[in-house]
Amino acid sequence: MRRSIILLTALALAAPACSAGDVATDADSTVTEPTVTEPTVADPTVADPATEPSTGPGSEASTTTAEGGQCSPGDDASMPRMWNDAALDAIRVDFPAPTVHARNLYHLSAAMWDVWRAYEPNDTTTSAVFVDEHRVADDVAAARDDAIAFAAHRILTQRYRLSLAAPETRLALNNSLSTACGAQPDFAEQNPESAAAFGVEIADAILEASFDDGSLEGAAYVDDAYESVNPPLVVAESGTELVDPDRWQPLLLENSVSQNGVPLPGGQQTFVGSQWGSVTPFAIDVDGQPPLDPGPPPRITDPATAEEYRNQAVDVIRASSDLQVGAARIDIGPGSDGVAVLDYESSGGHEVNPATGLAYEPNEVDAADYFRAIAEYWADGPTSETPPGHWNSLANQTSDALFADDDTRPEGERLEWDVKLGLALNGAMHDAAIAAWGNKGFYDSVRPISMIRWMAEQDGETSLPLVEGLVEIVTEESSAIGERHAGLPVGETAILAWSGPPELGDVEVAGVAWIRAVDWLPYQRPTFITPAFAGYVSGHSVFSRAGAEVLTNVTGSEFFPGGLLTRDVAAFSLVHERGPSEDIQLQWATFRDAADEAGRSRIWGGIHIPADDESGREIGRRVGEAAWERAQVIFGET
């Protein structure tokens, strides 16, 4: 019998597309042609009907017998966890495009969920994301492992075939399949009735259904329609010219290295992901643009917000001045609220660890060490898995801790847990990319390096606001030998800020000094400086808060397992300059504490103004809530 798979809209937010009475129970019964729907935003309680004919492997909500038994996750917690780790490895050696990697993680998770669900016996409550089929097997667990392994391998090898490290990634993925299954990728083709072949068929169906989802995958995700209104900022030169000071400006770098350490051709930046607001989402509504619109950022051309624009640039300069080692010490422990210094923050301040019943210990560190450490840690620097991958790593750590303790071990099998967590989390990561980059593309907003350098050359109401001890005009007296502005040109604007990057990188400290505002650089490596896309809203803030919302809901607690998650930062392990001056430990009590720190870090790293972070956090909250709501419907748990 010819088999086919029914493809569902990626946005069907409801119960199964067929009732139990629709499921074929006879392998020789007549089948109907499968159908494909164009992705549209659906009501959260109504599944989209299938409308357009297509072809593929399976019958309309069919039941097909398939044997398994080839694959095992070995020492890994589960087969989905094994392939999630493989995906993160692939991300770490590729160009750090968070939008693309979030989409890949989502489609990988959707494939693994649709496989898991297909083998769920007597299922009448769950929904497929893309592919609706029910199958039976003598050994369901083995069949699931086989199908998941081959589906994951197919998704990842196709999506990373053009990776910056394509040969190495393909070899690693093939080795993962061989290790788990003792087979090569052509096993599925040679055994068309196997569970492995079913996994490949599901993967191929998802790859086909998502190809024209608005991401421009066929054009290597490049939006040729975008053109910057501003000429490039030549980083090696002082100042900058802006046609529109509210709009994004590409940088021109002599030598460029991606955020995860991959060498790139020098030259002018191009906007990465300007089209992403129109990509087919998991749960959010994208009918209106930009998605989940928070309203515009402060603009210097708008009299109502011009002063805020100027002050937010000063906020970034003040954060830059905080990078002076030895100037202050702060308590960064979960019991302290001293790190939540932004007006819109409420992180920390937890009196008692709920897991131990004891008060959190103080964690006093050099303030500059803390700000530099979070700027580098949350930037996901060399060997980065980018923000969506970072939250997958945190989710994996959380799951491992929960399952390692009999008192916190979730009910059910680890396989089911990992499949469901993966879909909920990566559905949120995918939507976070759509919402964040939809706003970036729509508002096309300026970055701090352009704001500060441009205003340093302006007069009057468009100039940098003067703040004693932080932003000052150089005078004859202040520029004299031994004075604070010594050596700086008289009449120019000087700022107290990080003076790096140092020539010798991580073996010396640039420190904080009075510098020409027209030369200001963020706390980044000289080969990176600032990401190649607009500032508003912060992608880190959206991804992180969305991830925190999902993990809070999945685990049923706002706290990390044990009430604490830590990250050790060894003395002198930083990349941008020598530091920290001593060993320090980053600590988070709750998922939202970690998310807030991720957003905060981008201000001290000089990448974002506070408005980018604040609006990003709110969008992330809405994305996470929507993803969790849809996931519950898909899981049949509402």
Side-chain angles (χ1 to χ4, degrees):
M1 181 187 72
R2 178 179 59 80
R3 294 181 296 151
S4 59
I5 286 181
I6 181 170
L7 292 173
L8 301 178
T9 171
L11 296 172
L13 306 183
C18 60
S19 67
D22 294 327
V23 178
T25 55
D26 184 346
D28 295 321
S29 62
T30 302
V31 299
T32 59
E33 282 295 320
T35 54
V36 181
T37 59
E38 289 295 327
T40 56
V41 175
D43 185 277
T45 60
V46 181
D48 282 350
T51 57
E52 295 186 9
S54 182
T55 59
S59 67
E60 191 169 315
S62 65
T63 297
T64 307
T65 300
E67 294 298 329
Q70 297 293 323
C71 304
S72 168
D75 294 334
D76 288 283
S78 69
M79 191 63 74
R81 170 62 181 277
M82 171 187 167
W83 287 99
N84 180 270
D85 286 341
L88 298 184
D89 285 341
I91 294 171
R92 291 181 185 114
V93 294
D94 194 13
F95 180 78
T99 50
V100 175
H101 299 311
R103 176 175 176 265
N104 292 343
L105 286 166
Y106 164 52
H107 290 147
L108 170 67
S109 297
M112 294 193 289
W113 162 257
D114 282 353
V115 166
W116 183 91
R117 173 187 177 274
Y119 288 100
E120 186 67 2
N122 305 314
D123 173 44
T124 60
T125 60
T126 66
S127 303
V129 180
F130 285 93
V131 181
D132 187 6
E133 181 169 336
H134 291 284
R135 294 170 70 87
V136 295
D138 293 338
D139 187 339
V140 168
R144 275 177 169 156
D145 277 349
D146 288 10
I148 286 173
F150 277 83
H153 177 269
R154 182 65 145 229
I155 291 280
L156 294 176
T157 53
Q158 287 299 305
R159 286 291 171 78
Y160 289 97
R161 69 191 184 280
L162 299 180
S163 164
L164 291 177
E168 295 89 341
T169 293
R170 188 171 188 87
L171 177 62
L173 293 171
N174 288 347
N175 286 342
S176 293
L177 188 69
S178 177
T179 299
C181 304
Q184 295 302 310
D186 61 359
F187 172 86
E189 183 179 351
Q190 295 171 2
N191 297 271
E193 299 302 317
S194 66
F198 174 63
V200 170
E201 291 160 354
I202 279 193
D204 285 346
I206 292 174
L207 291 168
E208 179 182 356
S210 60
F211 186 79
D212 292 321
D213 64 354
S215 65
L216 302 182
E217 181 180 348
Y221 309 105
V222 175
D223 181 12
D224 289 330
Y226 177 86
E227 292 185 13
S228 173
V229 300
N230 289 312
L233 183 156
V234 182
V235 175
E237 299 178 2
S238 300
T240 192
E241 178 184 344
L242 292 174
V243 174
D244 186 338
D246 293 321
R247 302 281 294 276
W248 180 68
Q249 179 179 45
L251 303 185
L252 185 60
L253 294 164
E254 293 181 6
N255 298 300
S256 180
V257 175
S258 72
Q259 194 162 309
N260 62 353
V262 177
L264 300 172
Q268 182 175 326
Q269 290 178 331
T270 57
F271 195 128
V272 175
S274 55
Q275 78 280 14
W276 220 263
S278 299
V279 172
T280 303
F282 172 66
I284 62 171
D285 187 343
V286 295
D287 278 350
Q289 289 293 324
L292 307 182
D293 184 8
R299 291 168 169 159
I300 201 163
T301 56
D302 180 355
T305 61
E307 193 66 18
E308 183 182 2
Y309 176 106
R310 298 170 70 209
N311 289 336
Q312 295 240 327
V314 172
D315 288 339
V316 175
I317 295 171
R318 183 174 289 108
S320 184
S321 73
D322 288 338
L323 305 183
Q324 180 60 54
V325 178
R329 295 187 70 82
I330 57 174
D331 181 3
I332 64 169
S336 169
D337 57 7
V339 296
V341 296
L342 302 170
D343 293 341
Y344 49 88
E345 290 192 300
S346 59
S347 304
H350 305 287
E351 294 183 359
V352 175
N353 182 331
T356 65
L358 303 175
Y360 286 103
E361 294 289 335
N363 181 16
E364 189 176 284
V365 302
D366 184 277
D369 282 347
Y370 169 70
F371 292 125
R372 293 184 301 162
I374 65 171
E376 294 199 23
Y377 172 71
W378 289 108
D380 302 312
T383 67
S384 162
E385 63 261 312
T386 73
H390 196 146
W391 280 88
N392 274 256
S393 292
L394 292 176
N396 290 339
Q397 293 177 55
T398 297
S399 298
D400 291 346
L402 289 173
F403 276 86
D405 187 339
D406 289 339
D407 292 335
T408 61
R409 185 182 181 90
E411 295 182 4
E413 296 181 350
R414 180 65 186 264
L415 172 66
E416 179 179 356
W417 171 273
D418 284 341
V419 167
K420 289 182 175 180
L421 173 58
L423 181 60
L425 177 63
N426 289 317
M429 295 297 97
H430 178 59
D431 282 2
I434 293 168
W437 266 256
N439 279 276
K440 288 177 184 290
F442 185 85
Y443 288 113
D444 194 36
S445 67
V446 66
R447 289 277 188 171
I449 186 173
S450 298
M451 297 170 72
I452 292 169
R453 288 189 174 200
W454 180 77
M455 283 193 291
E457 297 181 305
Q458 307 305 305
D459 297 317
E461 295 182 353
T462 58
S463 64
L464 271 174
L466 299 181
V467 179
E468 185 176 357
L470 186 68
V471 182
E472 300 180 348
I473 299 298
V474 180
T475 66
E476 291 281 359
E477 181 181 353
S478 69
S479 64
I481 296 174
E483 298 298 326
R484 64 188 184 282
H485 301 155
L488 300 181
V490 174
E492 284 202 10
T493 301
I495 58 176
L496 186 65
W498 186 62
S499 61
E503 291 184 7
L504 300 180
D506 60 0
V507 300
E508 63 177 337
V509 178
V512 170
W514 284 98
I515 63 173
R516 301 170 70 202
V518 291
D519 292 333
W520 179 80
L521 291 170
Y523 181 74
Q524 303 292 329
R525 287 170 293 174
T527 52
F528 175 69
I529 304 299
T530 287
F533 36 79
Y536 187 81
V537 295
S538 166
H540 274 68
S541 302
V542 181
F543 283 124
S544 298
R545 186 56 185 268
E549 292 299 318
V550 170
L551 288 172
T552 296
N553 281 287
V554 169
T555 64
S557 171
E558 64 179 318
F559 288 87
F560 282 101
L564 185 67
L565 183 69
T566 65
R567 171 75 177 193
D568 292 327
V569 182
F572 312 121
S573 63
L574 298 181
V575 174
H576 303 346
E577 68 176 2
R578 184 173 172 82
S581 59
E582 60 187 352
D583 294 344
I584 69 171
Q585 186 179 76
L586 304 179
Q587 298 178 337
W588 315 284
T590 70
F591 300 113
R592 294 187 183 106
D593 287 348
D596 286 351
E597 187 176 87
R600 180 188 314 128
S601 73
R602 305 302 272 172
I603 299 168
W604 273 264
I607 297 293
H608 285 288
I609 59 174
D612 300 346
D613 173 36
E614 182 178 12
S615 293
R617 294 189 197 190
E618 174 59 19
I619 290 177
R621 180 190 65 79
R622 295 169 65 187
V623 166
E625 289 177 352
W628 176 241
E629 181 179 349
R630 190 196 170 192
Q632 286 182 292
V633 173
I634 290 172
F635 303 153
E637 296 174 357
T638 56

